[in-house]
Amino acid sequence: MKRVHNFSAGPAILPLEVLQKAQAELVDYQGTGTSIMEKSHRGPEYTKIDAEARERLSRILGLGDDFEIMFLQGGASTQFFSVPFNFLSKGETADYINTGTWSKKSIKEAQLFGSVNEAFSSAESNFSKVPASSELKLTPNAKYVHFTSNNTIFGTQFPSEPETNGVPLVCDASSDFLSRPIDVDKYGMIYSGAQKNLGPAGVTVVIIRKSFLATANKPSVPTMVNYKTHAEGAMFNTPPTFAVYMVNLVLEWIESNGGLNAFKLLNEEKSALLYNEIDADDFYRGTVEEASRSNMNVCFRLGTEELEAEFLKEAATHELVALKGHRSVGGVRASIYNACPKDSVEALASFMREFKAMKG
Ligand code: PMP
């Protein structure tokens, strides 16, 4: 078996022991003679997995009884319109913090349903920063404040939740979900596609505070998009059972490796290894203001695009793969989510020194 150092932005690397457990159980799930993929979502095996995943997620995040957890489909992109479909009416305003591509997409959808106030935008600096709370121009009585906790493409991350003076936060946490503890009291809703920190593509985790959900009283919301359809573990239709099974294994792995406090430390250590190389001199150039740097997606440039192409090609010969920046911005991006081992990050840091010595 060969495993390379995988820095894919998503779908991303999964813990090896999770893949191996899934492999061992794939054909004959726990002596039942069928794969978990081949079982009814209403049967005892899958309903146990579904319940276990909810309990684990609730425990890991410290959600208590205040939140509904839903395993939905359609990716985070479906949440961009589902949020305002449920929560925003004509004549109402929601505040959106624009930190680049994904925020812009969520704003575009929200404008179909109500009024959007862009409370902050870093467009002028090509999205090189996230705002301090003092920079936010919030609307009094906004329905909610939406933010992207980590921008996967630009490599920015909020160091902590924006202060909204009690207005519920709605967070697209797709690229840093479960990478560190969060202050759940501040959130009305958190959503995340699974395919970076949580499992394979195909399931989107949606967490909604019950009291916030109670404010979603719009008529004419189609059944599948209506969050209330999916509350209380309703399983209205067939969930993506294999993806949820995988998520449950990843949650088990997170707990057995010390939970969110342990991953916060590990993720800070890993990203520091790369930012130290970037900051060493001018050979590598970070694209993000220091206080806004992401611990998940480390983005940097080299002197020319030709040199960047050479870097990527040479890296691949060292089994360091999927380092190309997003097609919209170019450069180099190392995505180092929870499951990316420190060994891989050390190998990349060492290669960065080697390449500089060769070309610098
Ligand atoms: N939000 C963020 C922060 C993302 O990184 C992505 C995907 N890379 C999305 C939303 C869109 O997610 P999906 O492809 O699951 O719709």
Side-chain angles (χ1 to χ4, degrees), residues 9 74-78 80 102 148 150-152 172 174-175 193 195-196 204:
S77 301
T78 293
F80 293 164
W102 305 112
T148 314
N150 183 87
N151 190 298
T152 328
D172 173 4
S174 291
S175 52
Q195 65 268 24
K196 297 167 202 305
T204 308

Side-chain angles (χ1 to χ4, degrees), residues 2 11 60 83 106 124 126 135 162 188 210 220 267 272 276 292 320:
K2 175 179 140 182
I60 289 169
V83 169
S106 59
E124 267 180 24
N126 196 26
E135 294 174 278
K210 289 176 183 168
S220 316
N267 289 325
N276 284 343
S292 301
L320 301 156

Side-chain angles (χ1 to χ4, degrees), residues 16-245:
L16 180 58
E17 56 195 89
V18 165
L19 292 176
Q20 286 173 330
K21 182 159 189 198
Q23 182 182 41
E25 294 184 331
L26 189 70
V27 175
D28 176 8
Y29 181 72
Q30 299 188 349
T32 57
T34 80
S35 172
I36 192 66
M37 278 188 265
E38 302 169 305
K39 290 184 186 299
S40 165
H41 56 295
R42 308 210 184 268
E45 293 88 3
Y46 182 74
T47 48
K48 180 159 177 273
I49 288 168
D50 181 86
E52 231 171 61
R54 287 165 201 283
E55 281 159 25
R56 287 196 165 117
L57 197 51
S58 179
R59 217 163 37 230
I60 289 169
L61 280 166
L63 296 179
D65 290 332
D66 295 342
F67 291 86
E68 297 284 357
I69 296 174
M70 308 169 192
F71 299 123
L72 306 182
Q73 299 186 53
S77 301
T78 293
Q79 298 310 310
F80 293 164
F81 69 81
S82 298
V83 169
F85 215 144
N86 280 269
F87 288 107
L88 190 62
S89 300
K90 294 262 177 274
E92 290 179 331
T93 301
D95 286 347
Y96 275 70
I97 301 174
N98 181 3
T99 51
T101 317
W102 305 112
S103 319
K104 282 201 275 193
K105 290 189 172 184
S106 59
I107 289 170
K108 178 169 176 258
E109 301 300 305
Q111 284 167 336
L112 299 171
F113 297 93
S115 164
V116 171
N117 168 48
E118 204 175 82
F120 170 86
S121 168
S122 47
E124 267 180 24
S125 69
N126 196 26
F127 302 109
S128 64
K129 62 174 278 188
V130 298
S133 289
S134 59
E135 294 174 278
L136 297 177
K137 301 217 164 31
L138 298 173
T139 312
N141 305 319
K143 199 73 205 287
Y144 56 84
V145 178
H146 181 282
F147 77 117
T148 314
S149 50
N150 183 87
N151 190 298
T152 328
I153 292 177
F154 293 97
T156 58
Q157 186 175 26
F158 280 76
S160 58
E161 288 84 6
E163 181 52 62
T164 63
N165 308 314
V167 176
L169 277 172
V170 173
C171 179
D172 173 4
S174 291
S175 52
D176 69 352
F177 191 58
L178 305 187
S179 70
R180 58 181 179 178
I182 57 168
D183 183 354
V184 293
D185 290 344
K186 295 193 165 148
Y187 292 84
M189 172 169 172
I190 305 164
Y191 62 91
S192 170
Q195 65 268 24
K196 297 167 202 305
N197 255 328
L198 197 62
V203 59
T204 308
V205 173
V206 173
I207 300 170
I208 309 182
R209 181 182 294 282
K210 289 176 183 168
S211 59
F212 184 54
L213 184 57
T215 70
N217 290 318
K218 288 174 65 177
S220 316
V221 179
T223 309
M224 269 300 282
V225 186
N226 191 328
Y227 291 126
K228 288 182 176 164
T229 304
H230 305 286
E232 293 169 22
M235 256 200 251
F236 173 76
N237 72 326
T238 317
T241 53
F242 189 70
V244 174
Y245 159 78

